[in-house]
Amino acid sequence: MDPAPLDSPSNGMAAPSWDDLRIFLAVVAHGSMNAAARALGQSQPTVARRIKVLEDGFGIELFQRGPNRLELTEAGKAVLAAATPMAQAAETAQRAAAAYRPDPDAPVRITATASVAMFLTLHATGLARAASPSEIAFLPTRRHLDLANGEADIGLRMYRLTGADHLIARKIGEVAFAIYSRTPDPEGFIAPPEDPSLSRQAAFVARIAAGRPVVARIGDTPLRHQAARADLGAAFLPCWLGDSDADLVRITGPEPELLEDVFLVMHERSRSRPNVRRVADALADLFRRERKALAGI
């Protein structure tokens, strides 16, 4: 007996096309065929027809159709669970391909924590000149974006890389921290959310608070800064941020043990792109020029 064709499953069902699965995912994401059609730039009848083709090919109903709404059937939920990783894989593959086929005019994407990204935006004019004619895209996140797969071009990270293939890192500066408040003798403190037994920053705040209450725990530095400005309590902040705010006073000196190194990280492939190289050099120059402010001197 001849083997079944590769595109014909042994149970007789036709293999779904990725285009139809992509339309199915869009309908789920947007909640209706009309909304999915608008997002995909297609007509509503085309979307409805492709969903029907998908259902006929599977031999199941994917949606329960009600007045002005669609709900996934149990079978639809199972197909959604199977198709979602395919969409994620397709997106990753697209980014990886783009990383090897860079557009010389594409934005240079810098990933950093929210506080470092905030520092960069204060100096965005000079960085923009360095990147010209390309643009700069700031990607503030605590998640470590994948430089090898093209999620970002440059990463500013607070740790030294170990065992990372094809990634190049150089230390470009240090950031000091202290505690700032609207008044010299605050009644309460705003702490990082981590357990003081596990976090040096949280332990430092607990030691300075010396029994005074922790009124809030906020992990995001810009939010912690705004809470201190609103006189919620004294907050643990980078010195460049606290010292630059005329409404805040520094109530501790920089803690030497909490000094954080800043590393500029690139994939070796990105280093060959002139616009990325220009921005990387501008970042290193910026941290060198601002080293005193970053160190709280």
Side-chain angles (χ1 to χ4, degrees):
M1 179 181 297
D2 294 333
L6 292 178
D7 60 351
S8 300
S10 58
N11 59 11
M13 293 191 303
S17 77
W18 168 242
D19 283 342
D20 290 347
L21 285 172
R22 185 172 62 89
I23 290 172
F24 165 71
L25 291 171
V27 172
V28 174
H30 295 281
S32 73
M33 294 192 190
N34 280 328
R38 288 193 297 270
L40 295 169
Q42 299 184 11
S43 68
Q44 189 274 343
T46 297
V47 170
R49 179 171 56 82
R50 298 316 306 173
I51 292 295
K52 184 67 167 60
V53 168
L54 195 60
E55 290 180 321
D56 289 346
F58 281 139
I60 57 174
E61 288 191 349
L62 297 169
F63 297 99
Q64 291 177 339
R65 292 158 174 84
N68 300 318
R69 64 188 177 91
L70 292 174
E71 290 186 5
L72 283 169
T73 63
E74 290 302 311
K77 292 176 183 178
V79 172
L80 174 64
T84 297
M86 295 170 61
Q88 294 167 342
E91 184 179 349
T92 299
Q94 187 174 23
R95 284 198 306 267
Y100 281 91
R101 192 184 61 253
D103 178 354
D105 297 322
V108 177
R109 297 157 301 160
I110 304 172
T111 177
T113 61
S115 60
V116 174
M118 188 178 180
F119 171 73
L120 297 182
T121 59
L122 295 177
H123 304 275
T125 302
L127 293 173
R129 282 197 299 265
S132 182
S134 298
E135 300 173 356
I136 290 181
F138 297 101
L139 309 177
T141 179
R142 290 186 173 216
R143 186 170 69 88
H144 295 155
L145 300 187
D146 191 339
L147 301 179
N149 279 331
E151 287 189 312
D153 302 303
I154 296 173
L156 295 181
R157 297 178 176 169
M158 310 303 235
Y159 63 92
R160 187 180 296 277
L161 289 172
T162 55
D165 291 338
H166 306 293
L167 293 182
I168 303 161
R170 56 169 163 158
K171 179 180 172 180
I172 60 172
E174 297 175 332
V175 178
F177 297 82
I179 295 180
Y180 295 83
S181 174
R182 290 294 294 261
T183 61
D185 189 21
E187 295 181 359
F189 285 76
I190 304 165
E194 293 81 13
D195 187 322
S197 65
L198 303 174
S199 164
R200 293 181 300 166
Q201 295 181 355
F204 177 64
V205 173
R207 176 165 59 84
I208 300 301
R212 286 171 287 184
V214 171
V215 296
R217 296 188 180 274
I218 303 175
D220 184 82
T221 297
L223 294 181
R224 205 157 59 226
H225 173 230
Q226 290 303 313
R229 286 178 54 84
D231 204 16
L232 178 63
F236 180 83
L237 297 172
C239 289
W240 68 264
L241 178 56
D243 290 342
S244 66
D245 192 329
D247 291 330
L248 298 179
V249 294
R250 190 197 287 186
I251 63 173
T252 70
E255 177 65 28
E257 292 185 2
L258 298 179
L259 197 68
E260 289 193 353
D261 295 331
V262 180
F263 293 90
L264 188 152
V265 186
M266 290 189 296
H267 192 275
E268 62 183 18
R269 182 176 58 247
S270 296
R271 191 172 60 170
S272 65
R273 294 171 55 192
N275 56 343
V276 175
R277 222 172 33 245
R278 288 196 306 271
V279 173
D281 290 341
L283 288 168
D285 289 342
L286 170 61
F287 275 79
R288 185 163 48 249
R289 288 196 313 272
E290 298 295 323
R291 62 184 179 280
K292 289 186 177 181
L294 290 164
I297 299 173

